[in-house]
Amino acid sequence: MTAADPDLQIHAANATGRDYVVGDIHGCFYMLDALLERIGFDATRDRLFSVGDLVDRGPDSERAAEYLDRPWFHAIRGNHEDMLLDAVAEGGEAASLWRMNGGGWFDALDAASRAALTRRVAALPHAIEVALPSGGCAVLVHGDLPGRDWPALRAGLAAGTLREDDRVAMVWDRESARRIETGRGGVEVTGAAVVFLGHTPMPAPIASANTRWIDTGAFMGRRLTLAELAADGRVWSLAADLEDCEHDWRHVGTPG
């Protein structure tokens, strides 16, 4: 792995194992544990990437620290990680806003655990690029990809010249997700083989051109989705009861 800038992580292709990506976990790590067991995840050679929102609303947000310490787990920053950092740095309204959005679990941690987790979250990048064995790359962004042009966004991230508005949009924006939700067409990103996004809970894993939307509302009692990190990869969408598991992408729209 190399990191040209803290905002961007770049990973070489996995030459020995398999790569997977998981949607917004939101503290539902029991569901992730079950998915990893289901797919036969091998921690000695496989890797797991996350589109962010590890914490808040689910039952076990403190387990984010456990996963962030595992060498095979790589996450980007979601808006709930942003809220954590703002709450710790600013207190006041930022802390109140975070608690309203599920951040109260943090207060139960001891001071050392809070400090250690905050450091790990602050180090999370805004995007991850992973080379694919078949060629091209997979990209992870939490909310949206401004301009839908990965090479342009990548250059700004790597050089540290990305506009702050674009950085915020990567974490918080829902423009492309709303396009899909409202049936206004599909979404395609140039310069990447496949792009995985979270942030906006979808009724099922969505495939639209080369974008994949994998937040399926785990914390809402719905499903946690995990997929192979590939343009044509398999998908597992596990229900909260850990019994029902679906395996289909819902294909949406022609890009417009």
Side-chain angles (χ1 to χ4, degrees), residues 233-247:
R234 293 174 293 173
V235 65
W236 296 260
S237 194
L238 183 66
D241 64 8
L242 308 184
E243 296 295 331
D244 181 38
C245 191
E246 297 181 351
H247 300 275

Side-chain angles (χ1 to χ4, degrees), residues 174-184 200 202:
R174 301 183 194 270
E175 179 183 350
S176 293
R178 297 302 186 216
R179 179 180 183 84
I180 289 172
E181 288 182 314
T182 56
R184 290 182 284 126
T200 302
M202 296 290 184

Side-chain angles (χ1 to χ4, degrees), residues 191-214:
V194 62
V195 178
F196 291 91
L197 304 103
H199 189 42
T200 302
M202 296 290 184
I206 300 291
S208 179
N210 67 339
T211 60
R212 304 289 182 269
W213 304 81
I214 56 173

Side-chain angles (χ1 to χ4, degrees), residues 206-229:
I206 300 291
S208 179
N210 67 339
T211 60
R212 304 289 182 269
W213 304 81
I214 56 173
D215 178 6
T216 45
F219 77 93
M220 303 162 69
R222 287 164 42 186
R223 294 179 180 272
L224 181 65
T225 291
L226 181 146
E228 292 177 322
L229 194 78

